[in-house]
Amino acid sequence: MTEKRVAEVEAVPHPAFDEFVATIEALRAPDGCPWDREQTHRSIAGNMVEEAYEAVDAIEADDGPHMLEELGDVLLQVVLQSQIAADAREFTIDDVCRVVNEKIVRRHPHVFGEMEAGDANEVLDVWDQIKMAEREAADAAGAAPASLLDGVPKSFPALKQAQKISRKAASAGFEWETVDDVWAKVDEEIVELKAAYAAAPKSANGKVDGSTDPQTLAAVELEMGDVLFSLVNVARKMGVQAEEALRATCGKFRARWAFMEGAAAGQGRRVEDLSMEEMEGLWQMSKALEG
């Protein structure tokens, strides 16, 4: 598989990358930056998530110059973490590149091997099969058995975590046959959510009163989670990414709300001053303008 890759793609030097790695190494050197020298894997772990989210914002805004900057910040986290590891003689940035390259080649047999994949959805099926085979091979080699779900970070946003969990479970055969079967599960979970809510003590505004009975609040939250998890399974069966779908809806809501605020300001008013009927009218106007 590697021979095919080398034959078809000529390796190109990346001097800027090497220079950047050398810069980070200099920052961590004994005569380098005191702050950089003090950092550990854990101390800057949160920066990785923060920079990734900022990069996603730039990507979704289709802002090329900002994207360039934010991708650089993400790369900084990768190289800095690798240098911290190199200083501790754990691994180097070359090890990081080698391991991920081997994994990418291994998981793309439809590119570097003989397997076929007609579209993106078939590629996802190939990946799941390969990951399952890798896990079985590790078990056969005597490695400590790991849960199928261990590879799903608990720090993922809940929707993304749910979709990854359900996809892995499906790869092991824990799967509905059709989308309609999953919709039936959604209906079942909604009934259970409504029952839990009906049984819970509520304040005058209809919200569950957790101060009166924390266990019933927990029960309603759990049933709500079951509904959301079931909807994520619907998205997965449809080939839709639930996290991206909800992010898109949040963006749409922001745009429509901004239109309402602007329209209200044009009348010398605030959105809060509008009646529900006026708000609904502006909301429908915003939808019409989108079309």
Side-chain angles (χ1 to χ4, degrees):
M1 289 188 291
T2 303
E3 290 180 357
K4 180 178 178 181
R5 176 180 62 82
V6 172
E8 296 185 0
V9 181
E10 182 180 352
V12 177
H14 295 92
F17 178 75
D18 293 335
E19 182 179 359
F20 180 53
V21 171
T23 296
I24 301 305
E25 183 178 1
L27 291 177
R28 290 274 300 173
D31 59 345
C33 172
W35 184 89
D36 287 282
R37 289 201 311 268
E38 289 180 0
Q39 300 315 304
T40 66
H41 289 308
R42 286 183 175 273
S43 70
I44 58 171
N47 294 359
M48 184 78 74
V49 176
E50 179 180 332
E51 299 298 354
Y53 274 120
E54 291 180 1
V56 170
D57 281 346
I59 291 169
E60 293 185 343
D62 199 21
D63 185 342
H66 192 202
M67 191 190 311
L68 186 155
E69 178 185 355
E70 295 301 339
L71 289 177
D73 289 343
V74 172
L75 181 61
L76 167 61
Q77 298 307 311
V78 174
V79 175
L80 182 52
Q81 286 281 4
S82 299
Q83 187 59 48
I84 292 171
D87 294 339
R89 298 188 177 182
E90 297 170 342
F91 56 82
T92 69
I93 186 64
D94 291 325
D95 295 323
V96 172
C97 293
R98 173 180 53 79
V99 169
V100 72
N101 184 64
E102 290 174 352
K103 180 170 69 175
I104 292 300
V105 171
R106 184 173 65 249
R107 293 185 178 178
H108 287 76
H110 51 291
V111 177
F112 305 116
E114 303 304 322
M115 188 175 289
E116 299 292 334
D119 57 31
N121 288 323
E122 289 185 13
V123 171
L124 293 178
D125 292 338
V126 169
W127 285 346
D128 288 335
Q129 294 168 16
I130 293 172
K131 291 175 185 177
M132 182 67 70
E134 289 173 350
R135 182 169 174 265
E136 291 173 352
D139 292 343
S147 169
L148 179 65
L149 305 182
D150 283 349
V152 181
K154 296 178 181 178
S155 59
F156 267 2
L159 284 180
K160 184 177 289 291
Q161 186 177 162
Q163 189 143 358
K164 289 277 189 179
I165 287 173
S166 63
R167 180 176 152 194
K168 283 182 173 289
S171 71
F174 192 69
E175 173 68 305
W176 290 272
E177 290 189 7
T178 68
V179 174
D180 287 340
D181 293 333
V182 193
W183 275 120
K185 184 63 176 178
V186 172
D187 292 339
E188 175 187 326
E189 297 296 353
I190 289 175
V191 170
E192 294 180 3
L193 171 60
K194 289 181 176 179
Y197 174 74
K202 290 173 278 291
S203 303
N205 60 4
K207 295 182 179 179
V208 177
D209 186 359
S211 63
T212 302
D213 188 350
Q215 289 186 338
T216 57
L217 174 59
V220 174
E221 288 177 340
L222 187 60
E223 295 299 342
M224 177 62 76
D226 289 346
V227 171
L228 295 174
F229 194 92
S230 298
L231 285 171
V232 168
N233 272 298
V234 172
R236 178 180 56 78
K237 289 288 285 185
M238 289 180 173
V240 173
Q241 293 295 319
E243 181 74 22
E244 282 65 31
L246 185 56
R247 285 175 61 85
T249 293
C250 288
K252 179 174 64 177
F253 189 98
R254 285 174 179 266
R256 290 178 181 175
W257 188 261
F259 174 84
M260 291 169 58
E261 288 179 323
Q267 302 173 21
R269 305 164 71 189
R270 300 178 304 168
V271 170
E272 299 93 315
D273 300 327
L274 303 178
S275 67
M276 186 60 199
E277 290 74 16
E278 289 174 312
M279 288 186 184
E280 181 62 24
L282 290 176
W283 185 266
Q284 294 302 325
M285 187 181 299
S286 175
K287 288 179 63 176
L289 290 173
E290 288 174 4

